[in-house]
Amino acid sequence: SAVISQKPSRDICQRGTSLTIQCQVDSQVTMMFWYRQQPGQSLTLIATANQGSEATYESGFVIDKFPISRPNLTFSTLTVSNMSPEDSSIYLCSVDPGQGGNEQFFGPGTRLTVL
Amino acid sequence: QKEVEQNSGPLSVPEGAIASLNCTYSDRGSQSFFWYRQYSGKSPELIMFIYSNGDKEDGRFTAQLNKASQYVSLLIRDSQPSDSATYLCAVQGAQKLVFGQGTRLTINP
């Protein structure tokens, strides 16, 4: 399976600021996704990162709050904008390597704390 | 009704016994089903996937799928303390995965 890295692994931020999270894959993949996992909760899909076009956002998530870039088939960024304590969460990128079974593999995650 | 439902547990099983984890889903058109294991502080790890009705075995793990009942299960034989984790059921629908709440499993030595 693909090797996925995320930066930063964790951060503590002040409310009102923004943080950009990077996701790097060691091979080209068609599909990349961004998830949020709030404390003690399951995973919620934020958006599908589309290469060369705007991301596809899930209900409840908007581009102004979570802008996403996907400049190529191995890299994506998620920005959490104008943060509030409610944004404290783990943010995970995942990839579908396109092996035909729709399996997704997750990066190590970014643990964000907003004060 | 939630799209994917799991018993949140915690489920406590003695070492060496069989752990049984269950999941139901609402979208009858779902075709792909996944089990992820998540250790505390770590990201989810894919351990099993199943597409066809019946059983699929991989080592100590067996996934079971019954599309008519919209039911997926994961059996862990000869449970080990290292199996203690949260197990997430995920169902493929409309080009995205939908995750259940997860079941926290504890294996007692």
mmCIF file of all heavy atoms in Angstrom, chain A residues 78-114:
data_model
loop_
_atom_site.group_PDB
_atom_site.id
_atom_site.type_symbol
_atom_site.label_atom_id
_atom_site.label_comp_id
_atom_site.label_asym_id
_atom_site.label_seq_id
_atom_site.Cartn_x
_atom_site.Cartn_y
_atom_site.Cartn_z
ATOM 1 N N LEU A 78 -4.806 20.790 3.339
ATOM 2 C CA LEU A 78 -6.065 21.217 3.948
ATOM 3 C C LEU A 78 -5.737 22.373 4.873
ATOM 4 O O LEU A 78 -4.834 22.264 5.713
ATOM 5 C CB LEU A 78 -6.691 20.078 4.742
ATOM 6 C CG LEU A 78 -7.855 20.450 5.676
ATOM 7 C CD1 LEU A 78 -9.115 20.721 4.867
ATOM 8 C CD2 LEU A 78 -8.108 19.351 6.707
ATOM 9 N N THR A 79 -6.440 23.476 4.727
ATOM 10 C CA THR A 79 -6.284 24.607 5.635
ATOM 11 C C THR A 79 -7.509 24.699 6.528
ATOM 12 O O THR A 79 -8.644 24.615 6.041
ATOM 13 C CB THR A 79 -6.086 25.921 4.866
ATOM 14 O OG1 THR A 79 -4.891 25.830 4.073
ATOM 15 C CG2 THR A 79 -5.957 27.099 5.821
ATOM 16 N N VAL A 80 -7.269 24.833 7.819
ATOM 17 C CA VAL A 80 -8.350 25.094 8.761
ATOM 18 C C VAL A 80 -8.278 26.590 9.067
ATOM 19 O O VAL A 80 -7.284 27.057 9.648
ATOM 20 C CB VAL A 80 -8.215 24.250 10.035
ATOM 21 C CG1 VAL A 80 -9.438 24.448 10.930
ATOM 22 C CG2 VAL A 80 -8.038 22.780 9.687
ATOM 23 N N SER A 81 -9.289 27.318 8.649
ATOM 24 C CA SER A 81 -9.242 28.782 8.688
ATOM 25 C C SER A 81 -9.996 29.343 9.883
ATOM 26 O O SER A 81 -10.968 28.738 10.362
ATOM 27 C CB SER A 81 -9.861 29.358 7.407
ATOM 28 O OG SER A 81 -9.210 28.885 6.258
ATOM 29 N N ASN A 82 -9.529 30.492 10.357
ATOM 30 C CA ASN A 82 -10.228 31.226 11.424
ATOM 31 C C ASN A 82 -10.658 30.258 12.527
ATOM 32 O O ASN A 82 -11.840 30.117 12.831
ATOM 33 C CB ASN A 82 -11.433 31.975 10.853
ATOM 34 C CG ASN A 82 -12.082 32.895 11.862
ATOM 35 O OD1 ASN A 82 -11.443 33.347 12.816
ATOM 36 N ND2 ASN A 82 -13.362 33.163 11.674
ATOM 37 N N MET A 83 -9.675 29.600 13.099
ATOM 38 C CA MET A 83 -9.956 28.487 14.013
ATOM 39 C C MET A 83 -10.623 28.913 15.306
ATOM 40 O O MET A 83 -10.386 30.017 15.837
ATOM 41 C CB MET A 83 -8.657 27.742 14.310
ATOM 42 C CG MET A 83 -8.147 26.947 13.112
ATOM 43 S SD MET A 83 -6.693 25.995 13.486
ATOM 44 C CE MET A 83 -5.445 27.277 13.529
ATOM 45 N N SER A 84 -11.432 28.018 15.821
ATOM 46 C CA SER A 84 -12.050 28.152 17.137
ATOM 47 C C SER A 84 -11.768 26.862 17.910
ATOM 48 O O SER A 84 -11.379 25.853 17.306
ATOM 49 C CB SER A 84 -13.553 28.383 17.006
ATOM 50 O OG SER A 84 -14.175 27.232 16.474
ATOM 51 N N PRO A 85 -11.979 26.867 19.221
ATOM 52 C CA PRO A 85 -11.730 25.636 19.992
ATOM 53 C C PRO A 85 -12.499 24.430 19.464
ATOM 54 O O PRO A 85 -12.037 23.291 19.621
ATOM 55 C CB PRO A 85 -12.173 26.009 21.403
ATOM 56 C CG PRO A 85 -11.913 27.479 21.476
ATOM 57 C CD PRO A 85 -12.245 28.007 20.095
ATOM 58 N N GLU A 86 -13.648 24.659 18.822
ATOM 59 C CA GLU A 86 -14.439 23.551 18.267
ATOM 60 C C GLU A 86 -13.733 22.844 17.115
ATOM 61 O O GLU A 86 -14.129 21.740 16.719
ATOM 62 C CB GLU A 86 -15.791 24.052 17.784
ATOM 63 C CG GLU A 86 -16.750 24.522 18.888
ATOM 64 C CD GLU A 86 -16.322 25.814 19.539
ATOM 65 O OE1 GLU A 86 -15.747 26.693 18.835
ATOM 66 O OE2 GLU A 86 -16.514 25.971 20.762
ATOM 67 N N ASP A 87 -12.706 23.467 16.564
ATOM 68 C CA ASP A 87 -11.931 22.840 15.498
ATOM 69 C C ASP A 87 -10.855 21.901 16.033
ATOM 70 O O ASP A 87 -10.172 21.231 15.238
ATOM 71 C CB ASP A 87 -11.275 23.916 14.622
ATOM 72 C CG ASP A 87 -12.287 24.754 13.860
ATOM 73 O OD1 ASP A 87 -13.258 24.174 13.351
ATOM 74 O OD2 ASP A 87 -12.106 25.987 13.793
ATOM 75 N N SER A 88 -10.707 21.839 17.347
ATOM 76 C CA SER A 88 -9.740 20.908 17.934
ATOM 77 C C SER A 88 -10.142 19.491 17.575
ATOM 78 O O SER A 88 -11.249 19.048 17.887
ATOM 79 C CB SER A 88 -9.698 21.081 19.453
ATOM 80 O OG SER A 88 -9.243 22.368 19.798
ATOM 81 N N SER A 89 -9.246 18.801 16.920
ATOM 82 C CA SER A 89 -9.613 17.516 16.352
ATOM 83 C C SER A 89 -8.358 16.873 15.767
ATOM 84 O O SER A 89 -7.294 17.487 15.730
ATOM 85 C CB SER A 89 -10.652 17.732 15.241
ATOM 86 O OG SER A 89 -11.190 16.525 14.795
ATOM 87 N N ILE A 90 -8.511 15.646 15.309
ATOM 88 C CA ILE A 90 -7.476 15.016 14.503
ATOM 89 C C ILE A 90 -7.922 15.105 13.046
ATOM 90 O O ILE A 90 -9.064 14.763 12.725
ATOM 91 C CB ILE A 90 -7.247 13.548 14.898
ATOM 92 C CG1 ILE A 90 -6.768 13.465 16.349
ATOM 93 C CG2 ILE A 90 -6.233 12.889 13.963
ATOM 94 C CD1 ILE A 90 -6.685 12.054 16.894
ATOM 95 N N TYR A 91 -7.022 15.566 12.194
ATOM 96 C CA TYR A 91 -7.316 15.677 10.775
ATOM 97 C C TYR A 91 -6.490 14.626 10.039
ATOM 98 O O TYR A 91 -5.275 14.540 10.205
ATOM 99 C CB TYR A 91 -7.025 17.084 10.269
ATOM 100 C CG TYR A 91 -7.993 18.089 10.853
ATOM 101 C CD1 TYR A 91 -7.754 18.678 12.093
ATOM 102 C CD2 TYR A 91 -9.174 18.405 10.192
ATOM 103 C CE1 TYR A 91 -8.656 19.575 12.652
ATOM 104 C CE2 TYR A 91 -10.070 19.307 10.737
ATOM 105 C CZ TYR A 91 -9.811 19.877 11.968
ATOM 106 O OH TYR A 91 -10.716 20.759 12.517
ATOM 107 N N LEU A 92 -7.179 13.846 9.220
ATOM 108 C CA LEU A 92 -6.543 12.711 8.547
ATOM 109 C C LEU A 92 -6.728 12.811 7.044
ATOM 110 O O LEU A 92 -7.826 13.119 6.574
ATOM 111 C CB LEU A 92 -7.172 11.395 9.013
ATOM 112 C CG LEU A 92 -6.982 11.040 10.482
ATOM 113 C CD1 LEU A 92 -8.234 10.392 11.039
ATOM 114 C CD2 LEU A 92 -5.809 10.094 10.636
ATOM 115 N N CYS A 93 -5.656 12.565 6.315
ATOM 116 C CA CYS A 93 -5.837 12.387 4.882
ATOM 117 C C CYS A 93 -5.832 10.890 4.583
ATOM 118 O O CYS A 93 -5.245 10.095 5.329
ATOM 119 C CB CYS A 93 -4.776 13.116 4.073
ATOM 120 S SG CYS A 93 -3.135 12.399 4.109
ATOM 121 N N SER A 94 -6.529 10.525 3.548
ATOM 122 C CA SER A 94 -6.536 9.129 3.113
ATOM 123 C C SER A 94 -6.434 9.086 1.595
ATOM 124 O O SER A 94 -6.725 10.077 0.914
ATOM 125 C CB SER A 94 -7.793 8.396 3.578
ATOM 126 O OG SER A 94 -8.911 8.773 2.799
ATOM 127 N N VAL A 95 -6.022 7.939 1.097
ATOM 128 C CA VAL A 95 -5.909 7.759 -0.342
ATOM 129 C C VAL A 95 -6.565 6.452 -0.754
ATOM 130 O O VAL A 95 -6.579 5.475 0.007
ATOM 131 C CB VAL A 95 -4.432 7.774 -0.819
ATOM 132 C CG1 VAL A 95 -3.746 9.057 -0.373
ATOM 133 C CG2 VAL A 95 -3.669 6.561 -0.344
ATOM 134 N N ASP A 96 -7.119 6.468 -1.942
ATOM 135 C CA ASP A 96 -7.572 5.246 -2.599
ATOM 136 C C ASP A 96 -6.588 5.016 -3.735
ATOM 137 O O ASP A 96 -6.589 5.763 -4.713
ATOM 138 C CB ASP A 96 -8.993 5.431 -3.116
ATOM 139 C CG ASP A 96 -9.490 4.222 -3.903
ATOM 140 O OD1 ASP A 96 -8.701 3.304 -4.148
ATOM 141 O OD2 ASP A 96 -10.669 4.227 -4.272
ATOM 142 N N PRO A 97 -5.739 3.990 -3.599
ATOM 143 C CA PRO A 97 -4.692 3.773 -4.613
ATOM 144 C C PRO A 97 -5.218 3.344 -5.963
ATOM 145 O O PRO A 97 -4.441 3.228 -6.911
ATOM 146 C CB PRO A 97 -3.828 2.659 -3.994
ATOM 147 C CG PRO A 97 -4.251 2.564 -2.572
ATOM 148 C CD PRO A 97 -5.660 3.016 -2.508
ATOM 149 N N GLY A 98 -6.532 3.097 -6.053
ATOM 150 C CA GLY A 98 -7.092 2.724 -7.340
ATOM 151 C C GLY A 98 -6.850 1.274 -7.700
ATOM 152 O O GLY A 98 -6.707 0.948 -8.886
ATOM 153 N N GLN A 99 -6.827 0.402 -6.662
ATOM 154 C CA GLN A 99 -6.616 -1.017 -6.911
ATOM 155 C C GLN A 99 -7.910 -1.731 -7.277
ATOM 156 O O GLN A 99 -7.916 -2.944 -7.447
ATOM 157 C CB GLN A 99 -5.973 -1.661 -5.669
ATOM 158 C CG GLN A 99 -4.603 -1.089 -5.360
ATOM 159 C CD GLN A 99 -4.084 -1.485 -3.985
ATOM 160 O OE1 GLN A 99 -4.793 -2.070 -3.192
ATOM 161 N NE2 GLN A 99 -2.828 -1.164 -3.712
ATOM 162 N N GLY A 100 -8.999 -0.972 -7.324
ATOM 163 C CA GLY A 100 -10.255 -1.532 -7.794
ATOM 164 C C GLY A 100 -11.245 -1.858 -6.706
ATOM 165 O O GLY A 100 -12.413 -2.076 -6.981
ATOM 166 N N GLY A 101 -10.787 -1.869 -5.449
ATOM 167 C CA GLY A 101 -11.684 -2.269 -4.372
ATOM 168 C C GLY A 101 -12.170 -1.143 -3.500
ATOM 169 O O GLY A 101 -12.847 -1.369 -2.506
ATOM 170 N N ASN A 102 -11.850 0.083 -3.858
ATOM 171 C CA ASN A 102 -12.254 1.261 -3.079
ATOM 172 C C ASN A 102 -11.656 1.308 -1.682
ATOM 173 O O ASN A 102 -12.162 2.018 -0.815
ATOM 174 C CB ASN A 102 -13.780 1.366 -2.978
ATOM 175 C CG ASN A 102 -14.454 1.446 -4.333
ATOM 176 O OD1 ASN A 102 -15.279 0.617 -4.690
ATOM 177 N ND2 ASN A 102 -14.066 2.442 -5.117
ATOM 178 N N GLU A 103 -10.594 0.508 -1.445
ATOM 179 C CA GLU A 103 -9.961 0.580 -0.125
ATOM 180 C C GLU A 103 -9.313 1.948 0.056
ATOM 181 O O GLU A 103 -8.754 2.500 -0.895
ATOM 182 C CB GLU A 103 -8.870 -0.485 0.034
ATOM 183 C CG GLU A 103 -9.320 -1.903 -0.206
ATOM 184 C CD GLU A 103 -8.933 -2.372 -1.580
ATOM 185 O OE1 GLU A 103 -9.543 -1.916 -2.554
ATOM 186 O OE2 GLU A 103 -7.996 -3.182 -1.669
ATOM 187 N N GLN A 104 -9.374 2.459 1.276
ATOM 188 C CA GLN A 104 -8.686 3.699 1.600
ATOM 189 C C GLN A 104 -7.648 3.420 2.681
ATOM 190 O O GLN A 104 -7.887 2.639 3.606
ATOM 191 C CB GLN A 104 -9.670 4.759 2.087
ATOM 192 C CG GLN A 104 -10.556 5.314 0.997
ATOM 193 C CD GLN A 104 -11.436 6.443 1.475
ATOM 194 O OE1 GLN A 104 -11.101 7.160 2.419
ATOM 195 N NE2 GLN A 104 -12.569 6.630 0.804
ATOM 196 N N PHE A 105 -6.519 4.096 2.543
ATOM 197 C CA PHE A 105 -5.436 3.993 3.511
ATOM 198 C C PHE A 105 -5.177 5.384 4.082
ATOM 199 O O PHE A 105 -5.175 6.369 3.349
ATOM 200 C CB PHE A 105 -4.177 3.429 2.848
ATOM 201 C CG PHE A 105 -4.394 2.058 2.274
ATOM 202 C CD1 PHE A 105 -4.785 1.891 0.960
ATOM 203 C CD2 PHE A 105 -4.229 0.928 3.071
ATOM 204 C CE1 PHE A 105 -5.010 0.629 0.422
ATOM 205 C CE2 PHE A 105 -4.445 -0.338 2.548
ATOM 206 C CZ PHE A 105 -4.845 -0.493 1.233
ATOM 207 N N PHE A 106 -4.939 5.408 5.394
ATOM 208 C CA PHE A 106 -4.872 6.680 6.091
ATOM 209 C C PHE A 106 -3.445 7.095 6.414
ATOM 210 O O PHE A 106 -2.582 6.252 6.699
ATOM 211 C CB PHE A 106 -5.676 6.601 7.394
ATOM 212 C CG PHE A 106 -7.149 6.636 7.174
ATOM 213 C CD1 PHE A 106 -7.851 5.478 6.897
ATOM 214 C CD2 PHE A 106 -7.836 7.837 7.218
ATOM 215 C CE1 PHE A 106 -9.219 5.510 6.663
ATOM 216 C CE2 PHE A 106 -9.198 7.890 6.994
ATOM 217 C CZ PHE A 106 -9.893 6.725 6.713
ATOM 218 N N GLY A 107 -3.226 8.404 6.388
ATOM 219 C CA GLY A 107 -2.000 8.951 6.908
ATOM 220 C C GLY A 107 -2.009 8.927 8.423
ATOM 221 O O GLY A 107 -3.010 8.563 9.043
ATOM 222 N N PRO A 108 -0.896 9.352 9.034
ATOM 223 C CA PRO A 108 -0.785 9.274 10.497
ATOM 224 C C PRO A 108 -1.636 10.297 11.242
ATOM 225 O O PRO A 108 -1.834 10.167 12.444
ATOM 226 C CB PRO A 108 0.696 9.518 10.749
ATOM 227 C CG PRO A 108 1.152 10.284 9.559
ATOM 228 C CD PRO A 108 0.343 9.798 8.398
ATOM 229 N N GLY A 109 -2.137 11.307 10.553
ATOM 230 C CA GLY A 109 -3.004 12.280 11.196
ATOM 231 C C GLY A 109 -2.262 13.494 11.726
ATOM 232 O O GLY A 109 -1.047 13.455 11.974
ATOM 233 N N THR A 110 -3.017 14.573 11.896
ATOM 234 C CA THR A 110 -2.525 15.810 12.510
ATOM 235 C C THR A 110 -3.433 16.139 13.676
ATOM 236 O O THR A 110 -4.639 16.319 13.498
ATOM 237 C CB THR A 110 -2.538 16.973 11.504
ATOM 238 O OG1 THR A 110 -1.626 16.692 10.433
ATOM 239 C CG2 THR A 110 -2.151 18.281 12.191
ATOM 240 N N ARG A 111 -2.851 16.175 14.868
ATOM 241 C CA ARG A 111 -3.635 16.479 16.070
ATOM 242 C C ARG A 111 -3.588 17.977 16.305
ATOM 243 O O ARG A 111 -2.531 18.530 16.575
ATOM 244 C CB ARG A 111 -3.082 15.728 17.270
ATOM 245 C CG ARG A 111 -3.885 15.920 18.554
ATOM 246 C CD ARG A 111 -3.272 15.119 19.691
ATOM 247 N NE ARG A 111 -3.369 13.700 19.452
ATOM 248 C CZ ARG A 111 -4.382 12.939 19.819
ATOM 249 N NH1 ARG A 111 -5.414 13.486 20.447
ATOM 250 N NH2 ARG A 111 -4.373 11.637 19.582
ATOM 251 N N LEU A 112 -4.734 18.619 16.190
ATOM 252 C CA LEU A 112 -4.832 20.073 16.315
ATOM 253 C C LEU A 112 -5.561 20.445 17.593
ATOM 254 O O LEU A 112 -6.645 19.930 17.865
ATOM 255 C CB LEU A 112 -5.587 20.646 15.108
ATOM 256 C CG LEU A 112 -5.978 22.126 15.172
ATOM 257 C CD1 LEU A 112 -4.739 23.012 15.242
ATOM 258 C CD2 LEU A 112 -6.835 22.499 13.970
ATOM 259 N N THR A 113 -4.948 21.324 18.359
ATOM 260 C CA THR A 113 -5.573 21.893 19.547
ATOM 261 C C THR A 113 -5.669 23.393 19.355
ATOM 262 O O THR A 113 -4.673 24.040 19.029
ATOM 263 C CB THR A 113 -4.773 21.591 20.817
ATOM 264 O OG1 THR A 113 -4.653 20.175 20.962
ATOM 265 C CG2 THR A 113 -5.461 22.172 22.043
ATOM 266 N N VAL A 114 -6.868 23.922 19.521
ATOM 267 C CA VAL A 114 -7.082 25.362 19.374
ATOM 268 C C VAL A 114 -7.436 25.949 20.746
ATOM 269 O O VAL A 114 -8.374 25.485 21.406
ATOM 270 C CB VAL A 114 -8.205 25.666 18.366
ATOM 271 C CG1 VAL A 114 -8.349 27.173 18.169
ATOM 272 C CG2 VAL A 114 -7.937 24.985 17.033
#
